[in-house]
Amino acid sequence: MTTVLGCIADDFTGATDLAGLLARSGVRVSLRIGVPDAPPSDPAAFEVIALKCRTAPVAEVVAECRAALKWLQAAGAKRFFWKYCSTFDSTPQGNIGPVAEALMADLGTDQTIYCPAFPENGRAIFMGNLFVGESPLAESPMKDHPLTPMRDSNLMRLLAPQVTKPVGLANRLTVAKGPDALRARLADLAGQGVAHVVVDAVANEDLYTIAEACREMPLITGGSAIAMPLPALYLADGTLSAKAPRVQKPDLPPETILLSGSCSAMTRAQVAAYPGPKYRLDPLLLAAQGPQAARDWLAAQDLTQAPLIYATAEPEVVRIAQAQLGTAAAGEVVERALATLATAARDMGARRFVVAGGETSGAVTQALAVRLLTIGAEIAPGVPWCFADSAGQPIAITLKSGNFGTESFFADALERLTA
Ligand code: ADP
């Protein structure tokens, strides 16, 4: 199998989101954590490389993305997708524009599109302005983001300082006329030397028009939603064979561990609603005594009962720990403990892992030495089961960030895997 679409994502949960949407097609999707050291062997039709480069220095990020592109080209990909956040999280320096420009140069292409819209999640673009629900981006909570405060809603103005070539717009009136009108507009802009085209999308049908018009482009950039129609289009035009390998669900023993380091409101409700055995980690005790008490509790558990170990706590409890230990140190002590407990559970025979929390997921996958995930069934929108290898053992793992899923997420996850 050669890769049909090679994707580069600027953060881990964004990569999972994109991989999950592509996997709805049933075709095999592989998610790699970081650029693999080894050249591709047995690449999937859809390959997603997850980087952590939203706010890292531009030159470093560009080099990493170019290395990712090279790897994906070696996997056979001719078309590429640069995935960033649906709220266009970036600074005046980048990294959305500089990466796109570097990839375009390497691919020898002189135009790409920018479409972070995700109508189902309330992200829409109209006349080049990005909306979060009914608010312009710059009036949404994103205006106060600690790392990438978004103080303008106009994507052309946001993008212009990040790139060297001209920026333009294909607006909703054009998109509403269909793929041919959009292709004509893009060609017209290309004739004027416009390399970077923001494309409006306010509804799902716009995404289909854009995907249809742009599916031959060497590089598409955007949020995950614009990639959603691509598998069906590639299957219909034969780019992707109907015989492309499907996901193989491994037959795994029932031993399960649930680990939660997320303190988001939804995760708190999910932990409270979980009916199985539970153990609460206290960062202050962990800092003083280490994770031995939690290890002892774990060692006494029957893993077929899917025990849950959590540091999840109410904001005032988190604040107390942070005040005493420092915010970063409180987070680290929890992440380290959950990472240790994940490997301990694996060594006790756990083969099914449910992990809540974006940062927590990073710490746990690193501890389990997971670098390659094959995407399986979705448990909740944007949260798929994944299949991987840890210390030579096949495992299933799901990585849920903050507010994803409904209250019954943990039970849903266990049920979905056996369904
Ligand atoms: P989310 O996806 O909800 O943002 P993350 O795992 O990304 O979750 O972030 C949660 C952070 O809070 C982690 O660094 C975690 O270690 C930390 N943390 C979890 N529980 C506590 C707690 N009780 N006190 C302080 N920090 C905590």
Side-chain angles (χ1 to χ4, degrees):
M1 182 76 218
T2 57
T3 296
V4 169
L5 185 70
C7 308
I8 304 171
D10 71 351
D11 87 336
F12 184 74
T13 42
T16 336
D17 174 15
L18 172 65
L21 291 179
L22 292 169
R24 282 183 186 175
S25 63
V27 174
R28 186 154 65 93
V29 179
S30 289
L31 193 167
R32 321 251 169 192
I33 301 174
V35 183
D37 299 325
S41 77
D42 188 28
F46 296 103
E47 286 280 347
V48 181
I49 296 183
L51 302 177
K52 198 171 177 199
C53 64
R54 196 160 282 172
T55 51
V58 176
E60 207 175 279
V61 168
V62 163
E64 201 178 20
C65 289
R66 294 179 70 186
L69 178 72
K70 265 217 171 94
W71 190 92
L72 293 166
Q73 285 176 313
K78 302 264 184 297
R79 293 174 191 147
F80 302 88
F81 194 91
W82 166 224
K83 154 77 176 78
Y84 39 81
C85 190
S86 64
T87 42
F88 211 71
D89 301 17
S90 52
T91 67
Q93 290 74 44
N95 291 323
I96 295 176
V99 168
E101 236 167 28
L103 299 180
M104 287 166 78
D106 286 0
L107 292 169
T109 181
D110 49 19
Q111 194 179 61
T112 190
I113 61 157
Y114 295 78
C115 187
F118 198 153
E120 276 178 59
N121 287 348
R123 311 282 192 269
I125 312 167
F126 185 67
M127 297 300 161
N129 290 277
L130 182 59
F131 290 82
V132 176
E134 295 181 347
S135 304
L137 176 65
E139 293 168 34
S140 77
M142 279 306 295
K143 71 181 190 305
D144 300 317
H145 191 280
L147 300 176
T148 51
M150 303 307 288
R151 300 277 161 78
D152 195 343
S153 307
N154 184 293
L155 294 176
M156 285 89 77
R157 273 199 305 262
L158 287 168
L159 190 56
Q162 298 185 24
V163 292
T164 61
K165 303 237 173 79
V167 177
L169 172 68
N171 73 25
R172 176 84 207 300
L173 303 178
T174 303
V175 174
K177 286 189 195 130
D180 288 342
L182 179 55
R183 270 190 218 105
R185 172 70 181 153
L186 291 169
D188 186 32
L189 287 167
Q192 299 169 37
V194 175
H196 306 283
V197 185
V198 172
V199 185
D200 276 358
V202 299
N204 258 345
E205 68 230 42
D206 298 334
L207 300 178
Y208 284 86
T209 301
I210 298 164
E212 165 89 56
C214 300
R215 67 176 202 268
E216 308 275 347
M217 277 184 153
L219 179 68
I220 294 178
T221 89
S224 55
I226 187 67
M228 200 164 32
L230 291 174
L233 289 167
Y234 292 156
L235 280 166
D237 72 7
T239 305
L240 184 60
S241 157
K243 293 197 226 76
R246 308 253 130 190
V247 185
Q248 301 286 328
K249 193 163 86 171
D251 202 10
L252 293 167
E255 280 80 1
T256 303
I257 183 78
L258 282 54
L259 301 158
S260 176
S262 159
C263 297
S264 301
M266 183 47 80
T267 308
R268 296 202 306 269
Q270 290 162 342
V271 168
Y274 183 61
K278 297 188 229 191
Y279 182 90
R280 189 174 76 84
L281 292 174
D282 176 346
L284 296 172
L285 282 179
L286 283 175
Q289 299 167 3
Q292 194 53 44
R295 291 184 75 126
D296 293 343
W297 182 82
L298 176 64
Q301 296 306 300
D302 171 2
L303 293 181
T304 63
Q305 298 304 306
L308 163 65
I309 301 179
Y310 65 99
T312 308
E314 297 298 317
E316 51 287 4
V317 178
V318 172
R319 265 194 297 275
I320 293 169
Q322 288 176 336
Q324 293 207 22
L325 300 172
T327 303
E332 270 162 35
V333 80
V334 167
E335 283 171 36
R336 235 179 305 129
L338 288 169
T340 307
L341 293 161
T343 48
R346 180 200 60 205
D347 297 342
M348 280 171 66
R351 295 293 175 264
R352 304 172 185 207
F353 296 77
V354 179
V355 186
E359 292 300 322
T360 309
S361 294
V364 169
T365 44
Q366 200 173 9
L368 294 175
V370 167
R371 297 289 309 269
L372 164 63
L373 299 156
T374 297
I375 311 300
E378 261 180 322
I379 302 156
V383 198
W385 268 111
C386 304
F387 305 115
D389 221 77
S390 177
Q393 298 294 331
I395 63 164
I397 184 164
T398 183
L399 307 162
K400 183 197 85 81
S401 72
N403 280 320
F404 280 43
T406 59
E407 268 190 28
S408 55
F409 178 82
F410 292 125
D412 294 350
L414 304 182
E415 201 173 294
R416 192 82 180 92
L417 194 58
T418 46

